[in-house]
Amino acid sequence: MRFLCLHGSGTNSQIFETQTAAIRYGLGDHHTYEFVEGALPSILAPEFNGIVSSKDEFFSYIDLDNVESCVSALVNLDTYISEEGPFDGVWAFSQGAMIAATYIVWKARQNTAQQRVAPAFKCAVFFSAWEAYDPDLLWKNLLRPLSLSNDGEVIHIPTAHIWGQCDVSSAKASSVSGICASGTKHVFVHPGSHEIPGARMNVAVKSSVRTIRRVISLAYEVHHQA
């Protein structure tokens, strides 16, 4: 599969490559990954202080204090996929997962019948997702998180949800899991915090790989049935 990869706020594509290296290695070399940098210059995410050089450049996709930036991020992502795609799936961390999940809902609402047959992505892997927002309200300059209780299951492709039990934003990741179809999602909660299991979390890496493999297999099954 060919995956589009979206990093977290205050990081960059190189950091996301490093974060996912152990899991990507575990999945084998028959997948390809395209890492896309955010457009907004940003300060380094606090969890990376002392880990990466502060002299590097860091980016975000959106500024939550400026709802228009959320709209721009969706439009820019749509343009990128149109020009550089198609992609079979998306891997996304934190803010990147927020953008990816919101984008999937946005595209599904544009043409529900088409997205059931030929969705924007066949599957999605969300690491420590930071909510998802109602895309219709973004165009009205309103920011409302999507939830199972208010919106139901609005993402119908196979999804993997991986987050840490010590993550202070774990409720947000769980909320994104809630709006995804229960029959085609797999969840793994690792013992860490707001991070992606790496080489020092060998057991969690193996469990993450198994979770993602299940979702990829589901994506193939669903695609062949369509």
Side-chain angles (χ1 to χ4, degrees), residues 120-201:
F121 302 112
K122 297 183 182 72
C123 63
V125 178
F126 298 127
F127 298 99
S128 301
W130 187 273
E131 294 185 317
Y133 292 96
D134 187 326
D136 298 333
L137 293 181
L138 292 180
W139 262 261
K140 299 178 182 179
N141 207 37
L142 297 172
L143 206 60
R144 182 184 73 81
L146 295 166
S147 67
L148 177 61
S149 58
N150 290 328
D151 305 284
E153 295 179 348
V154 291
I155 294 179
H156 301 285
I157 61 173
T159 54
H161 303 266
I162 298 169
W163 71 82
Q165 64 183 14
C166 299
D167 189 344
V168 295
S169 61
S170 60
K172 297 178 185 293
S174 179
S175 178
V176 173
S177 171
I179 63 171
C180 295
S182 56
T184 54
K185 73 179 174 188
H186 288 277
V187 176
F188 170 58
V189 181
H190 59 79
S193 56
H194 195 67
E195 61 188 311
I196 298 173
R200 291 179 296 179
M201 301 171 67

Side-chain angles (χ1 to χ4, degrees), residues 37-58:
E37 205 95 271
L40 302 180
S42 178
I43 61 171
L44 175 65
E47 61 263 31
F48 291 99
N49 284 329
I51 299 176
V52 301
S53 172
S54 60
K55 295 180 181 179
D56 290 344
E57 291 185 305
F58 310 104

